[in-house]
Amino acid sequence: RVKQGFITFDHVSFIYPGTTKSVLSNVRFSVNPGERLAVIGSTGSGKTSLFQLIPRLYDATEGEIRIDHRPTTDYTLDNLRRSIGYVPQSPLLFTGTVAENIAWGKEHASTKEIIHAAKDAQIHDAIMELDNQYQTKVGQKGVNLSGGQKQRISIARALIRNPKILMLDDSTSALDLTTESKLLHAMESYECTTLLITQKISTAMRADRILLIDEGKVLAIGTHEELLHSSSLYQRIVTS
Ligand code: TTP
Ligand code: MG
């Protein structure tokens, strides 16, 4: 199969509707099919906003985003979002079972597929410790899960759909290093283009390339070594 998931940001600027502040300015970069790109930048630099434009939770104010050379506005929203597994910064679970929460968005998911995704997301063991395992009720009236457990259920929900593009917004922040490492390793078996926002340089270094944004602008994109040579901000982040 031809690798898909080529993403292009073509001079993208963005202002939230009803506001005047430019959150992204003239952002341009491309991500190759199957590439893993880490996105780093200080809090408020626009990382989440950049993510939200890809599945068109918001539309760019200027410029164009293309997936596989087609503007995202040319796809139906349904088709666009079906091809993207988006794990938001604060994922929400709905009232239902763990299994239902993982299978959400994929019709006819089998138990085997649900467990497989949960294992890859490194949440299977924790689920097996719940009173009713995969049938445990979560959400408003269900058991309380930790932030990290919710993140991993949300990751399993993204993985089960085998998306063309996987986007993780700081989704490994609550994980210990060993679990995070296992998760990143398991994700390698998915042929998707992966964008991952992270605060941790050690996580960013595992990606093929790193995108550094600051105040809504792309400061640098490249490998860890390239950024060390080209970006003084990156040097400062690494040594801080
Ligand atoms: P974010 O895109 O949320 O910045 P970030 O994701 O890099 O920050 P963090 O590391 O803390 O997650 O915000 C960029 C700017 O956009 C910031 O000024 C807040 C503003 N903003 C809105 O106005 N509405 C929104 O829904 C979001 C997400 C951000
Ligand atoms: Mg954010």
Side-chain angles (χ1 to χ4, degrees), residues 129-181:
E129 282 172 22
L130 300 172
D131 281 348
N132 293 304
Q133 303 177 335
Y134 281 85
Q135 299 312 317
T136 305
K137 291 256 194 297
V138 294
Q140 272 180 349
K141 285 183 185 159
V143 299
N144 265 325
L145 298 175
S146 73
Q149 288 172 331
K150 280 186 204 160
Q151 281 181 330
R152 279 174 287 164
I153 287 177
S154 182
I155 292 170
R157 178 190 284 170
L159 292 179
I160 199 171
R161 292 158 58 219
N162 201 10
K164 188 155 83 170
I165 296 168
L166 179 64
M167 305 184 5
L168 307 175
D169 191 344
D170 221 2
S171 307
T172 64
S173 56
L175 305 186
D176 62 78
L177 286 178
T178 315
T179 310
E180 180 189 47
S181 193

Side-chain angles (χ1 to χ4, degrees), residues 14-17 19 21-24 39-52 58 89 169-170 197-199 213 216:
F14 179 56
I15 300 170
Y16 278 96
T19 70
K21 185 184 161 220
S22 195
V23 169
L24 296 171
V39 179
I40 63 169
S42 56
T43 179
S45 58
K47 304 181 294 297
T48 295
S49 304
L50 183 145
F51 265 29
Q52 287 180 332
Y58 291 94
Q89 199 161 5
D169 191 344
D170 221 2
I197 294 173
T198 178
Q199 312 277 354
I213 72 168

Side-chain angles (χ1 to χ4, degrees), residues 21-220:
K21 185 184 161 220
S22 195
V23 169
L24 296 171
S25 310
N26 210 18
V27 168
R28 54 183 301 247
F29 66 92
S30 288
V31 194
N32 293 315
E35 187 177 14
R36 191 186 285 193
L37 182 79
V39 179
I40 63 169
S42 56
T43 179
S45 58
K47 304 181 294 297
T48 295
S49 304
L50 183 145
F51 265 29
Q52 287 180 332
L53 299 184
I54 297 174
R56 292 188 61 204
L57 300 178
Y58 291 94
D59 276 324
T61 313
E62 279 177 66
E64 189 172 81
I65 299 166
R66 293 186 288 274
I67 294 178
D68 295 326
H69 310 284
R70 264 176 79 193
T72 50
T73 48
D74 272 14
Y75 295 81
T76 64
L77 270 187
D78 208 42
N79 275 341
L80 177 68
R81 291 176 186 168
R82 220 197 298 272
S83 63
I84 299 171
Y86 181 16
V87 184
Q89 199 161 5
S90 311
L92 292 174
L93 301 185
F94 57 83
T95 304
T97 67
V98 169
E100 285 163 351
N101 267 276
I102 293 174
W104 184 73
K106 180 181 164 96
E107 299 101 48
H108 318 298
S110 68
T111 304
K112 199 174 151 207
E113 288 171 313
I114 292 170
I115 293 174
H116 186 79
K119 282 186 173 164
D120 281 345
Q122 311 302 316
I123 188 65
H124 174 72
D125 293 347
I127 293 170
M128 294 308 282
E129 282 172 22
L130 300 172
D131 281 348
N132 293 304
Q133 303 177 335
Y134 281 85
Q135 299 312 317
T136 305
K137 291 256 194 297
V138 294
Q140 272 180 349
K141 285 183 185 159
V143 299
N144 265 325
L145 298 175
S146 73
Q149 288 172 331
K150 280 186 204 160
Q151 281 181 330
R152 279 174 287 164
I153 287 177
S154 182
I155 292 170
R157 178 190 284 170
L159 292 179
I160 199 171
R161 292 158 58 219
N162 201 10
K164 188 155 83 170
I165 296 168
L166 179 64
M167 305 184 5
L168 307 175
D169 191 344
D170 221 2
S171 307
T172 64
S173 56
L175 305 186
D176 62 78
L177 286 178
T178 315
T179 310
E180 180 189 47
S181 193
K182 283 189 196 160
L183 170 70
L184 294 176
H185 182 73
M187 275 166 33
E188 276 165 21
S189 64
Y190 292 76
E191 275 191 325
C192 51
T193 305
T194 305
L195 304 183
L196 101 166
I197 294 173
T198 178
Q199 312 277 354
K200 286 180 270 185
I201 287 291
S202 60
T203 308
M205 280 174 64
R206 295 184 57 149
D208 298 311
R209 287 190 300 160
I210 300 166
L211 177 80
L212 173 60
I213 72 168
D214 189 49
E215 294 183 6
K217 295 186 183 69
V218 173
L219 283 198

